[in-house]
Amino acid sequence: MLDKRDFINFLYVASFPVYGIGSYVSANINGPIGQVISVLIHVFILLFYIIDLLYKKQFDIKVNSLFLWMVAFQISSVGAFFIALAKNPPFINEVVSYTRSGIILFPFYAFIAVCLYNEKNSEKLVRLTFNSLSIMLLLNLIGFYVFGLKNGIHTIEGRLSLPFIDGMYSGACMIAIINLMLFYYMRQAITASDGFRFTYLLLYFIINLFLLFLINSRLANLIFLMVFMLSVLNISHKLKGLFLIGVFFVPLLLNLGYVLYQILSLPFFKLVMQRVDLKDVTTFNGRSYAWTKALDWLLNDQTNVIFGNGHNGHYFLHLMTNIAKLWGVKETDTHLHSTSLSILVDQGIVGGLLLVIISYRTYMFFKKKLALGKEEGILFPAKV
């Protein structure tokens, strides 16, 4: 008999692929409708949880400080949409503000409900997440190779473009995370002397490497390789300063572009990365122009630096005006190519600090789990 926890877990596994389908609809058919589809499962999980609470007539408040930090960050994130809406830009309206806010709110609270149902077996959530990501990847491969669908947000001819995800390079990140989890499971199989399990996990791992090659995101591939090597050496949770490297990753990249070019010029990387050009690599395919503009705003201009400039704040600051002309695109179609810088520009120092606090808390949580040999530690390399 299917109990409540099994039902909720089934919905959780389904939530990732359904979110992906919503992303496709949002990019290719209708934005708000797609965003509603993306959170349908999460809304259903929350409704089920609330009805279950009402039926049991038992209410226990189970929150910690991290929850409160997340609520504060969500308020900042949702507020950015409505700050932008008040400026009447061409890329957002009231409906989009509400549906995009739903994307930020519902998955988080639904995940908390799933965690509460699995409170006595929290490690199971890791396996459920792995299964859900794997189904999402399979759905994307069927969409691309069987039905010829492509990513509606970002597609480059000749490269693998997973359709049911927020962006082409987001697909590379998803595959990299799956492979980091696979490596953990492969080590488990070796320890248990389970040759059959190790073989099919290894095959899955190799297929994913080939998919990363087909997407050919140089930055995603390079980061995956570095984090994977830390996992192979089993030192990622022992290194000090790793979190700070992540916080200041963009400034580090801007200062190490030529060094990175020298590394990528080695025969192995030339074969894997395919595209190794001095200007292309040192500017990160033009991304450095956007990053430099954003950092210049942070250090010098500082317009609305405390609470931010609203969603797509770079548009109101005209940070991308000349870059849009250089790239031959509309200014409304540009973005900063950096989540952390986008949050700083959109939500200000307040939003940026909240992100750092939440990231540090979750970083330390998974780091401790990895050090203790708990299955939740599998997510630490992905967090890195």
Side-chain angles (χ1 to χ4, degrees), residues 321-363:
T321 303
N322 293 331
I323 297 172
K325 293 176 182 177
L326 178 67
W327 290 346
V329 297
K330 295 179 181 178
E331 191 174 357
T332 51
D333 294 334
T334 61
H335 59 93
L336 293 176
H337 290 277
S338 166
T339 301
S340 55
L341 287 179
S342 293
I343 288 172
L344 270 173
V345 173
D346 296 0
Q347 299 167 228
I349 290 176
V350 170
L353 284 176
L354 288 171
L355 176 66
V356 170
I357 291 168
I358 293 165
S359 296
Y360 181 72
R361 289 285 300 274
T362 52
Y363 173 89

Side-chain angles (χ1 to χ4, degrees), residues 131-203:
N131 292 339
S132 189
L133 287 172
S134 295
I135 293 170
M136 188 175 183
L137 176 58
L138 178 62
L139 176 68
N140 273 281
L141 293 176
I142 292 172
F144 183 79
Y145 287 110
V146 178
F147 297 101
L149 303 177
K150 294 184 179 181
N151 194 284
I153 297 175
H154 185 204
T155 294
I156 297 176
E157 198 63 38
R159 292 204 239 167
L160 174 60
S161 174
L162 301 181
F164 302 115
I165 201 163
D166 287 339
M168 192 177 87
Y169 293 144
S170 297
C173 295
M174 177 182 69
I175 294 169
I177 288 171
I178 291 173
N179 260 15
L180 291 170
M181 298 178 81
L182 276 170
F183 178 69
Y184 178 90
Y185 288 133
M186 285 191 291
R187 285 200 305 190
Q188 274 189 340
I190 292 172
T191 303
S193 300
D194 190 341
F196 176 74
R197 184 166 184 255
F198 175 80
T199 301
Y200 72 72
L201 289 174
L202 178 62
L203 180 61

Side-chain angles (χ1 to χ4, degrees), residues 213 216 218 260-278 281:
F213 177 77
N216 197 226
R218 289 168 300 189
L260 186 61
Y261 169 73
Q262 294 295 327
I263 295 171
L264 294 182
S265 296
L266 296 172
F268 170 77
F269 289 107
K270 273 193 171 183
L271 175 65
V272 173
M273 303 297 180
Q274 300 180 53
R275 301 164 293 123
V276 180
D277 172 81
L278 177 60
V281 171

Side-chain angles (χ1 to χ4, degrees), residues 42-327:
H42 303 105
V43 171
F44 195 71
I45 290 173
L46 285 171
L47 287 175
F48 184 90
Y49 176 66
I50 291 169
I51 293 169
D52 190 28
L53 280 180
L54 293 172
Y55 177 76
K56 291 189 296 186
K57 297 180 181 178
Q58 181 181 350
F59 298 90
D60 295 322
I61 298 176
K62 296 180 179 180
V63 298
N64 55 23
S65 59
L66 181 58
F67 173 83
L68 299 177
W69 287 119
M70 271 300 302
V71 170
F73 181 71
Q74 287 183 316
I75 291 170
S76 173
S77 300
V78 170
F81 290 119
F82 291 93
I83 290 172
L85 181 64
K87 299 177 182 180
N88 198 31
F91 52 80
I92 197 169
N93 56 46
E94 193 169 355
V95 174
V96 171
S97 296
Y98 283 109
T99 54
R100 290 290 297 273
S101 297
I103 291 284
I104 292 171
L105 297 171
F106 289 119
F108 172 65
Y109 296 105
F111 181 71
I112 290 177
V114 175
C115 288
L116 291 173
Y117 276 105
N118 290 275
E119 200 170 11
K120 295 180 180 179
N121 188 14
S122 59
E123 292 189 353
K124 187 176 182 179
L125 273 175
V126 179
R127 295 190 293 274
L128 292 173
T129 302
F130 176 78
N131 292 339
S132 189
L133 287 172
S134 295
I135 293 170
M136 188 175 183
L137 176 58
L138 178 62
L139 176 68
N140 273 281
L141 293 176
I142 292 172
F144 183 79
Y145 287 110
V146 178
F147 297 101
L149 303 177
K150 294 184 179 181
N151 194 284
I153 297 175
H154 185 204
T155 294
I156 297 176
E157 198 63 38
R159 292 204 239 167
L160 174 60
S161 174
L162 301 181
F164 302 115
I165 201 163
D166 287 339
M168 192 177 87
Y169 293 144
S170 297
C173 295
M174 177 182 69
I175 294 169
I177 288 171
I178 291 173
N179 260 15
L180 291 170
M181 298 178 81
L182 276 170
F183 178 69
Y184 178 90
Y185 288 133
M186 285 191 291
R187 285 200 305 190
Q188 274 189 340
I190 292 172
T191 303
S193 300
D194 190 341
F196 176 74
R197 184 166 184 255
F198 175 80
T199 301
Y200 72 72
L201 289 174
L202 178 62
L203 180 61
Y204 187 8
F205 185 90
I206 293 170
I207 290 172
N208 283 347
L209 289 180
F210 183 62
L211 295 176
L212 286 173
F213 177 77
L214 293 178
I215 295 174
N216 197 226
S217 169
R218 289 168 300 189
L219 198 54
N221 289 348
L222 189 64
I223 293 172
F224 164 71
L225 184 61
M226 290 189 294
V227 176
F228 176 67
M229 289 308 300
L230 293 177
S231 298
V232 170
L233 298 172
N234 198 28
I235 59 172
S236 59
H237 62 290
K238 300 174 184 176
L239 290 178
K240 294 181 179 180
L242 197 56
F243 181 78
L244 286 176
I245 291 174
V247 171
F248 296 103
F249 191 61
V250 169
L252 284 171
L253 283 179
L254 288 172
N255 285 282
L256 295 173
Y258 186 72
V259 174
L260 186 61
Y261 169 73
Q262 294 295 327
I263 295 171
L264 294 182
S265 296
L266 296 172
F268 170 77
F269 289 107
K270 273 193 171 183
L271 175 65
V272 173
M273 303 297 180
Q274 300 180 53
R275 301 164 293 123
V276 180
D277 172 81
L278 177 60
K279 182 179 179 181
D280 197 32
V281 171
T282 54
T283 66
F284 302 95
N285 198 25
R287 292 176 177 85
S288 65
Y289 305 137
W291 298 343
T292 302
K293 283 282 189 180
L295 289 172
D296 180 64
W297 162 80
L298 178 65
L299 297 174
N300 300 305
D301 182 280
Q302 299 187 349
T303 301
N304 298 321
V305 73
I306 303 299
F307 294 106
N309 297 276
H311 176 61
N312 280 355
H314 62 273
Y315 173 84
F316 305 112
L317 296 169
H318 304 292
L319 298 182
M320 302 290 285
T321 303
N322 293 331
I323 297 172
K325 293 176 182 177
L326 178 67
W327 290 346

